[in-house]
Amino acid sequence: MLALTDKFGRPITDLRISITDHCNYKCVYCRTGNDGALYADLPFADYLRMTRVLVGMGIKKVRITGGEPLLRKGVVEFVRNVAKLRSGDGEPLDIAITTNGHLLAEMAEPLKDAGLQRVTVSMDAVDPDRFARITRVPGGYDNVLAGIRAARRVGLWPLKVNCVLMRGFNEDQIIPFGMFAREEGVIVRFIEFMPLEEDRVWSPKTVVTLDEILHRMSEYRPLVEIPHERSETARRYHFDDGVGEIGIIAPVSHPFCGHCSRIRITSDGKIRTCLFSVWDHDLHGLMRRGASDDELAEFIRGVVQRKEERHHIGEPDFVPASRTMVHIGG
Ligand code: SAM
């Protein structure tokens, strides 16, 4: 089958599939303080079929996300089934999960045994009180720390810890996270805050930029940039003594849309071609109407042709995405 490529010549090799938009945290940069999800979850068999069709079209990396994916009963079995899929060249897929880590301590080993290779844990402070202020849920910090350590112990590697920096909440955590990366032997990645939150508090001033992160971290220890693939979203650094890796994902101040290789499926089975899409495409609706795998593939190919060239964050013509992050799957 022809490789999946958009009209700008970007190969689409990376799938992010959300398996629920429920979440047990209410992070200030993501959700409102209210409970609840918007969309019903689909059966895992449907996510598996969508994934299988996309893998047949050239997807090599599958990231399972949400909402909070570990809340969903059956996720371990889903990982096991995804791990059985083979890309066109017969190679095993690169399978990862993005999680808030709350339930990871008990699930790291079964997930690893099921075929998960890597995990990214979101953690926005290395201080329990600050952590609770950001997640808007009491407690949790110890669970997440235990989850990170369990993931490391069972060999879910490379282990990345993602921290979204939001001015007024956690920009003073930059140096503590530098220390954390060195002490825990994990890759800490700072992410610039994007206008994808439910509370609609984003403004350029709330973004802690790559330049500011580098400047603040240099007050602790010098960082040395690591050469990276052009398609990598993160700029990578290690400290001058070679201990501790830091990544910075800077979609606002240094966009990387030109190398975007991603397609997303939401928990209700819609395709999104960009985080900032103002529409989505009803793949699951087509499945419900009895489409064959070939018809699904043809639909996907047409949708990918409409993938946006780039986002317009901070520009006068910026139009907010039609969904917030928790309902897309980050
Ligand atoms: N619940 C899981 C978690 O916490 O990692 C997966 C879903 S969460 C929506 C996925 C990622 O999106 C997390 O790393 C989170 O920090 C990031 N994220 C959410 N809202 C964001 C925003 N407004 N700007 C930048 N990153 C955001």
Side-chain angles (χ1 to χ4, degrees):
M1 198 179 271
L2 272 180
L4 196 54
T5 307
D6 74 4
K7 67 170 181 274
F8 303 105
R10 295 174 296 194
I12 307 302
T13 53
D14 189 346
L15 167 66
R16 304 215 154 190
I17 186 157
S18 171
I19 57 171
T20 183
D21 67 341
H22 288 70
C23 192
N24 50 339
Y25 284 0
K26 300 167 186 173
C27 300
V28 286
Y29 55 80
C30 186
R31 296 194 48 211
T32 67
N34 299 327
D35 287 321
L38 275 184
Y39 304 101
D41 301 337
L42 298 180
F44 277 114
D46 292 356
Y47 298 130
L48 189 63
R49 182 174 174 207
M50 296 178 200
T51 306
R52 180 172 51 71
V53 170
L54 274 152
V55 167
M57 302 176 77
I59 291 295
K60 295 188 184 317
K61 288 189 191 176
V62 177
R63 180 171 289 276
I64 300 162
T65 181
E68 174 45 44
L70 300 193
L71 288 180
R72 185 93 196 257
K73 294 214 172 2
V75 61
V76 173
E77 207 43 42
F78 180 57
V79 167
R80 199 183 316 283
N81 287 324
V82 173
K84 288 180 193 149
L85 302 176
R86 288 288 171 272
S87 63
D89 51 17
E91 291 294 309
L93 297 172
D94 177 3
I95 308 171
I97 284 188
T98 304
T99 171
N100 62 27
H102 192 88
L103 299 173
L104 188 58
E106 69 235 45
M107 291 180 73
E109 191 158 14
L111 285 166
K112 171 77 181 169
D113 291 346
L116 189 72
Q117 283 139 8
R118 321 186 269 124
V119 72
T120 299
V121 181
S122 304
M123 181 178 169
D124 306 295
V126 285
D127 162 77
D129 292 336
R130 184 71 60 85
F131 182 82
R133 191 177 156 223
I134 294 171
T135 58
R136 293 189 283 204
V137 171
Y141 181 80
D142 290 344
N143 292 37
V144 176
L145 195 56
I148 290 171
R149 290 177 176 162
R152 189 157 180 232
R153 202 169 45 245
V154 303
L156 288 168
W157 190 261
L159 178 52
K160 295 173 184 163
V161 173
N162 276 359
C163 166
V164 177
L165 288 171
M166 187 174 169
R167 195 169 308 285
F169 278 92
N170 59 351
E171 69 268 43
D172 63 343
Q173 295 289 297
I174 293 172
I175 292 178
F177 265 117
M179 296 173 177
F180 185 82
R182 292 165 66 82
E183 284 158 15
E184 296 287 332
V186 298
I187 303 167
V188 168
R189 304 194 312 169
F190 297 106
I191 307 179
E192 289 179 348
F193 176 36
M194 294 181 276
L196 286 166
E197 78 293 5
E198 293 186 329
D199 276 346
R200 296 295 183 210
V201 290
W202 188 94
S203 78
K205 285 194 193 129
T206 59
V207 181
V208 182
T209 62
L210 177 139
D211 290 347
E212 184 175 339
I213 298 165
L214 288 178
H215 178 73
R216 285 200 183 215
M217 196 65 96
S218 69
E219 289 167 3
Y220 166 52
R221 277 195 88 107
L223 285 171
V224 180
E225 188 156 8
I226 306 170
H228 64 279
E229 300 287 324
R230 273 157 59 92
S231 58
E232 273 183 71
T233 52
R235 304 216 177 179
R236 297 169 54 205
Y237 307 84
H238 55 67
F239 288 102
D240 57 341
D241 61 356
V243 180
E245 183 174 333
I246 300 292
I248 305 180
I249 303 178
V252 180
S253 69
H254 295 74
F256 38 81
C257 306
H259 305 292
C260 183
S261 55
R262 293 191 185 150
I263 186 169
R264 289 183 152 80
I265 295 184
T266 62
S267 58
D268 59 330
K270 307 285 196 299
I271 299 178
R272 289 182 70 90
T273 46
C274 173
L275 275 176
F276 292 93
S277 291
V278 291
W279 51 69
D280 40 46
H281 308 271
D282 193 3
L283 185 64
H284 190 248
L286 200 63
M287 277 173 59
R288 263 200 326 262
R289 292 194 293 279
S292 66
D293 285 359
D294 284 347
E295 284 164 339
L296 296 182
E298 194 185 316
F299 178 75
I300 293 168
R301 218 172 272 291
V303 164
V304 162
Q305 285 314 303
R306 291 154 72 187
K307 184 171 164 69
E308 296 78 349
E309 185 174 15
R310 64 185 185 88
H311 71 63
H312 294 259
I313 302 176
E315 297 174 18
D317 61 348
F318 176 73
V319 179
S322 56
R323 290 186 185 212
T324 53
M325 187 69 117
V326 69
H327 304 299
I328 298 172

